Amino acid sequence: MANPSDSTGFESSLSLRLDAVRAQSLWRHLRRIDKISGHQVETEGRSLRNFAGNDYLGLTSHPALIEAATQSIRDFGCGSAASRLISGSLAPHHALEEAIADFKGTQAAVSFSSGLSAAIGTLPALIGYDDVVVLDRLVHACCVDAARLSGARLRVFRHNDIEDLERILRWTSSLPRTAQKSPKVLVVTESLFSMDGDTAPLREIVSLKERYGAWLMVDEAHATGVLGPNGRGRVVELGLTERVEIQMGTLGKAIGSAGGFIAGSRALSDTLINRARSFLFSTAPVPAAVAAACAGLQIAAALEGDRLRQRLRSHTITVLNTAAKAGFVSTSCSQIIPLHVGDELHAVRVSDELRSLGILAPAIRHPTVARGRARIRLTVSAAHSDADLTALDQALKNLSSRCPPALLSAPLSKEPLD
Ligand SMILES: *Cc1c(COP(=O)(O)O)cnc(C)c1O
């Protein structure tokens, strides 16, 4: 292809912005993966042990999911051909939503093409300009964007800080109210945080939001299939199902397929079907992904799921110990294990170093996390082998002997830096 003429300054404008990204060590590029087998990936002519994915139970390549997807393609074709309300509401979509509602113990569930589109559709369907969204400082970007899109006023509370949340809720109760209109308040948090691997104090948050008459949405993206009885999530584990208005999850992580969902009351699902724009105006999720998700949920909820979670737990403990031995301080109590590095450039170097030692583990930087809080994010899976865990142990030892951990672990201030 010839170089674009750039008579309108489009190319030079983009180049300037990209230069700034590079200068801050925030440059991202795609690396092609040619082959995956178990937790080994082949990329750029090398084989690496994958500590970067969210396939926590190893279900993406499970024979039952592959068979379900294949059968569904035979029965329904490769595409859904229309949005659900036009002509795309296929039997697999209905079966999946019944399975999700059953899994979560809710009246109903609605599925979306991704967790991101579930969030983007849901918040604006429920709240608007007169309302307030209160977000934990560390919630996923899709909830932040969804909150912005709703037009509601945004407030952010310090991560997992109940007192700070109460301070904001107290403020919302002083907002003007009329007989016709009183602002709705929606609190949004994650149950298991995606980049820190810690959990939210959900019981306390539920009591608090009830005291102030606020609603609560819990994003269970990383807890679905992993936490709670049969992997049903943290809300179920804590017995809070009837008290959390909106539960969200993804089918693309531990469940091994793709898609997102919202689970809750019948009124909630009817509202989303009628008002969520990412549901109304998007072609329905492809039958293969939906059928695979259904099979993934089935395995997660069965004895096999319990066995996989046990294996995941034991691998998690091994890797937490490995990280601690190598001198890393971790905030995590889960399969998501961040190694806090701090500086962006340093994080990239550590990630490259691990890569040269045969380990795939990404440097997570702004805007995924706050500036100056860059980290290596290790994720553990039931699919890892003992050899994978030993190789990681060796690599971290090797790394910390060449580069003392004091330099690697930036001090953790309680407050994010921006
Ligand atoms: C991955 C993720 C999502 C988005 O889910 P997708 O199905 O990948 O779009 C939402 N919330 C959190 C916390 C996530 O980690």
Side-chain angles (χ1 to χ4, degrees):
M1 267 279 286
N3 280 343
S5 72
D6 203 23
S7 59
T8 56
F10 178 75
E11 295 298 316
S12 51
S13 161
L14 266 52
S15 294
L16 264 180
R17 249 188 280 173
L18 290 173
D19 289 345
V21 171
R22 267 199 204 89
Q24 299 171 73
S25 304
L26 296 174
W27 178 258
R28 287 153 155 91
H29 69 282
L30 295 171
R31 283 179 154 138
R32 173 177 172 145
I33 290 176
D34 296 303
K35 211 170 150 196
I36 299 189
S37 64
H39 259 64
Q40 300 263 116
V41 298
E42 276 173 36
T43 171
E44 296 163 352
R46 296 194 52 205
S47 178
L48 301 174
R49 299 181 194 271
N50 186 2
F51 285 90
N54 303 310
D55 180 16
Y56 302 129
L57 301 179
L59 294 186
T60 56
S61 52
H62 192 290
L65 274 76
I66 293 170
E67 179 49 35
T70 319
Q71 187 56 46
S72 174
I73 289 176
R74 282 194 210 102
D75 294 343
F76 293 94
C78 289
S80 298
S83 79
R84 294 278 298 281
L85 287 163
I86 300 297
S87 72
S89 197
L90 310 177
H93 298 122
H94 292 266
L96 175 63
E97 286 167 350
E98 283 160 24
I100 295 168
D102 189 47
F103 186 70
K104 299 297 280 182
T106 53
Q107 278 181 346
V110 181
S111 68
F112 293 80
S113 328
S114 69
L116 181 139
S117 84
I120 297 288
T122 299
L123 267 77
L126 299 174
I127 49 169
Y129 290 102
D130 298 322
D131 305 321
V132 182
V133 185
V134 190
L135 305 156
D136 183 288
R137 158 78 83 177
L138 297 189
V139 291
H140 193 263
C142 69
C143 291
V144 178
D145 291 355
R148 287 198 180 122
L149 194 59
S150 75
R153 267 183 283 186
L154 304 195
R155 289 292 182 276
V156 173
F157 64 100
R158 283 197 295 270
H159 177 53
N160 282 348
D161 187 332
I162 288 293
E163 282 169 25
D164 202 36
L165 174 58
E166 177 151 30
R167 178 184 61 80
I168 295 169
L169 291 178
R170 221 178 291 123
W171 164 78
T172 63
S173 57
S174 70
L175 291 172
R177 270 150 230 272
T178 63
Q180 295 80 31
K181 233 178 179 127
S182 74
K184 298 188 253 322
V185 179
L186 174 65
V187 178
V188 183
T189 191
E190 285 174 35
S191 56
L192 171 56
F193 281 86
S194 62
M195 295 298 143
D196 287 60
D198 57 346
T199 51
L202 279 187
R203 277 205 193 93
E204 289 83 349
I205 292 176
V206 166
S207 307
L208 200 59
K209 66 97 184 168
E210 286 176 351
R211 198 143 16 99
Y212 286 89
W215 302 341
L216 177 62
M217 171 160 162
V218 179
D219 180 351
E220 297 242 54
H222 295 273
T224 305
V226 173
L227 296 183
N230 310 99
R232 292 167 200 268
R234 186 100 175 123
V235 171
V236 174
E237 183 176 20
L238 299 177
L240 298 172
T241 306
E242 268 97 71
R243 298 168 66 191
V244 173
E245 286 80 4
I246 307 141
Q247 293 186 61
M248 169 180 156
T250 176
L251 303 162
K253 289 170 178 152
I255 303 304
S257 179
F261 67 82
I262 299 288
S265 66
R266 176 75 52 200
L268 172 62
S269 75
D270 287 342
T271 302
L272 297 180
I273 290 167
N274 281 277
R275 287 176 51 95
R277 295 173 68 87
S278 62
F279 182 89
L280 290 161
F281 301 117
S282 185
T283 301
V286 297
V290 171
C294 224
L297 275 177
Q298 223 168 46
I299 293 169
L303 266 178
E304 185 177 356
D306 286 337
R307 201 172 45 70
L308 292 169
R309 276 182 291 278
Q310 238 167 37
R311 204 173 145 79
L312 174 63
R313 192 69 215 149
S314 134
H315 289 177
T316 298
I317 291 164
T318 305
V319 175
L320 280 169
N321 285 334
T322 291
K325 264 193 303 172
F328 289 99
V329 188
S330 191
T331 46
S332 167
C333 54
S334 70
Q335 77 277 10
I336 298 163
I337 303 173
L339 308 178
H340 293 278
V341 171
D343 178 69
E344 283 77 21
L345 180 58
H346 201 49
V348 174
R349 288 199 177 130
V350 173
S351 174
D352 287 346
E353 193 78 18
L354 283 171
R355 195 180 180 83
S356 74
L357 297 167
I359 303 291
L360 182 63
I364 304 287
R365 294 161 287 165
H366 180 78
T368 312
V369 295
R371 282 183 201 279
R373 299 291 302 263
R375 65 202 61 182
I376 303 299
R377 178 179 181 265
L378 294 174
T379 46
V380 184
S381 169
H384 281 126
S385 63
D386 289 348
D388 292 331
L389 301 182
T390 310
L392 177 68
D393 185 64
Q394 287 302 320
L396 289 184
K397 267 193 199 127
N398 194 320
L399 191 70
S400 66
S401 67
R402 272 189 285 162
C403 205
L407 286 177
L408 294 177
S409 344
L412 279 174
S413 61
K414 249 190 116 143
E415 282 292 295
L417 300 181
D418 67 358

